[in-house]
Amino acid sequence: MDFTHDEHCTCPGCLTWAPYDTMYVDFAMEYSQQMLTYTLAREAFRDFPKNLPPHIIVPIIAKRWRVLDNEIRRRGIPIESPSLEDMDDPELIAAAEGEMTKEQHRIRCAFEGVYALARFGKKIPEMEFPAFERVLISQNIIAICSFAEGFIQKTIRVLSDHRPAAFQAWERAKASELAGSNPSERLEKYLFRLGMGSIEKKLDKMGTEFGVSLPISPAQRKTVGELFLLRNCIVHNAGRVSTQFKNSGAVAAHVQVGDEVELRDEQIEGMLDVLVDVLTVVYRTVAVQVLNKPADRLMFGPHRADTIPQ
């Protein structure tokens, strides 16, 4: 049987999908895939690399050892660690120079990737193992916050298209500064301005600029704000408590500026759940209030909120 997909089609796909729906579904897919990857990696890296059997971990460590030893000798750096002198041990040399199985090679790639990331971000000594589980949690926070920021920016662009009065008012107010620029350049400057600041400010701008009333609770706003401050500590402050994060009240009283931020799985997952709730509210509110989408035709991705804004 053939189906014709046109403006009269009543199949679920034609009834529900629209460009803004696609943006939300893209976020839902990115979030879900990232959480799946993180969940699998978390189990694989639990107590890593001590959880690996000797026949896998010994060649990996031996090869890294050999690389470091060669570099130290090439540079003429005095050997301070007695353990490096053990590179003359025949068994260790054999492990360092031997061929690896596919299984060993795959695990070595994972080990080297996380190791390099930790070395770059944390400046840890060459022979010190990074806290692999901490690196994974940090990268999960960074990735999901990036997906969320992308969705917020796309939403702001959608709002500027459907409620252009705010952009037009801004153009008039900035006429002298914008002289000589074309409409596309002016729009990009406007969107860039709206995209500046914390995620809380971006959510506020949806109301002040476009009149969108988001039913987000103070507790949700606070949690999302703390999550992004935590993300900023990881990205910009080597994973240590910043003055802004300390002043937010999100850390215990005994924690000082410069201490490593605490990364607990359950706490972080709870914060990410709240972030998903907030973005779902943004999607549903904009879709219903601005795009006039029927509430029963909304897309549902990682959904936990209970009400549909009318």
Side-chain angles (χ1 to χ4, degrees), residues 81-151:
S81 172
S83 62
L84 284 175
E85 297 174 353
D86 295 337
M87 280 305 301
D88 294 327
D89 181 87
E91 291 186 10
L92 201 53
I93 292 173
E97 297 179 350
E99 293 292 325
M100 303 185 81
T101 66
K102 290 183 178 180
E103 178 189 24
Q104 290 170 325
H105 182 68
R106 284 195 298 268
I107 295 175
R108 185 191 182 196
C109 288
F111 172 86
E112 292 291 348
V114 179
Y115 180 89
L117 185 66
R119 285 273 299 121
F120 176 78
K122 301 282 291 177
K123 306 293 190 297
I124 66 170
E126 288 85 348
M127 294 304 293
E128 181 179 319
F129 285 131
F132 288 91
E133 293 169 65
R134 182 179 176 86
V135 173
L136 288 173
I137 294 174
S138 298
Q139 292 309 300
N140 194 48
I141 293 170
I142 293 170
I144 292 177
C145 285
S146 296
F147 299 151
E149 283 189 312
F151 177 71

Side-chain angles (χ1 to χ4, degrees), residues 15-285:
L15 282 173
T16 56
W17 286 81
Y20 188 55
D21 296 322
T22 301
M23 295 176 191
Y24 177 71
V25 170
D26 285 345
F27 162 74
M29 291 298 294
E30 289 171 335
Y31 169 83
S32 300
Q33 289 169 359
Q34 175 62 32
M35 285 303 297
L36 175 61
T37 301
Y38 168 70
T39 301
L40 295 175
R42 180 179 59 186
E43 294 305 313
F45 280 89
R46 193 177 297 280
D47 203 28
F48 186 85
K50 291 181 288 185
N51 62 339
L52 296 178
H55 77 279
I56 291 179
I57 191 59
V58 170
I60 292 174
I61 302 304
K63 289 181 184 297
R64 167 142 296 283
W65 206 358
R66 170 47 64 99
V67 169
L68 293 172
D69 182 66
N70 287 344
E71 186 66 12
I72 287 173
R73 294 175 190 272
R74 184 182 69 79
R75 296 186 182 189
I77 300 173
I79 299 176
E80 297 179 0
S81 172
S83 62
L84 284 175
E85 297 174 353
D86 295 337
M87 280 305 301
D88 294 327
D89 181 87
E91 291 186 10
L92 201 53
I93 292 173
E97 297 179 350
E99 293 292 325
M100 303 185 81
T101 66
K102 290 183 178 180
E103 178 189 24
Q104 290 170 325
H105 182 68
R106 284 195 298 268
I107 295 175
R108 185 191 182 196
C109 288
F111 172 86
E112 292 291 348
V114 179
Y115 180 89
L117 185 66
R119 285 273 299 121
F120 176 78
K122 301 282 291 177
K123 306 293 190 297
I124 66 170
E126 288 85 348
M127 294 304 293
E128 181 179 319
F129 285 131
F132 288 91
E133 293 169 65
R134 182 179 176 86
V135 173
L136 288 173
I137 294 174
S138 298
Q139 292 309 300
N140 194 48
I141 293 170
I142 293 170
I144 292 177
C145 285
S146 296
F147 299 151
E149 283 189 312
F151 177 71
I152 292 295
Q153 290 298 104
K154 291 175 183 176
T155 298
I156 290 174
R157 184 176 289 272
V158 168
L159 289 171
S160 69
D161 288 341
H162 287 80
R163 293 189 174 176
F167 171 56
Q168 293 165 357
W170 178 80
E171 274 188 306
R172 291 192 295 270
K174 300 287 185 180
S176 59
E177 296 179 27
L178 300 173
S181 60
N182 61 48
S184 178
E185 291 172 338
R186 294 196 291 272
L187 176 60
E188 292 305 320
K189 288 181 180 179
Y190 174 70
L191 294 174
F192 177 77
R193 181 183 70 85
L194 292 183
M196 296 177 65
S198 67
I199 189 169
E200 296 157 290
K201 289 182 179 178
K202 294 172 188 175
L203 294 173
D204 287 341
K205 288 173 184 176
M206 291 185 190
T208 58
E209 294 280 329
F210 306 108
V212 176
S213 178
L214 296 172
I216 297 172
S217 71
Q220 288 176 315
R221 287 174 56 85
K222 182 175 184 294
T223 298
V224 169
E226 290 174 354
L227 175 63
F228 274 78
L229 284 176
L230 176 59
R231 175 259 183 199
N232 291 344
C233 289
I234 295 169
V235 173
H236 303 298
N237 208 36
R240 298 190 176 278
V241 174
S242 65
T243 301
Q244 188 178 11
F245 193 45
K246 171 67 175 176
N247 293 341
S248 73
V251 297
H254 69 275
V255 177
Q256 301 300 316
V257 173
D259 291 349
E260 276 198 335
V261 294
E262 185 178 16
L263 298 176
R264 291 186 289 111
D265 257 342
E266 290 184 4
Q267 177 192 20
I268 301 303
E269 288 177 14
M271 297 173 84
L272 293 175
D273 281 344
V274 173
L275 175 63
V276 170
D277 286 351
V278 167
L279 295 192
T280 299
V281 168
V282 169
Y283 160 70
R284 303 174 97 189
T285 304

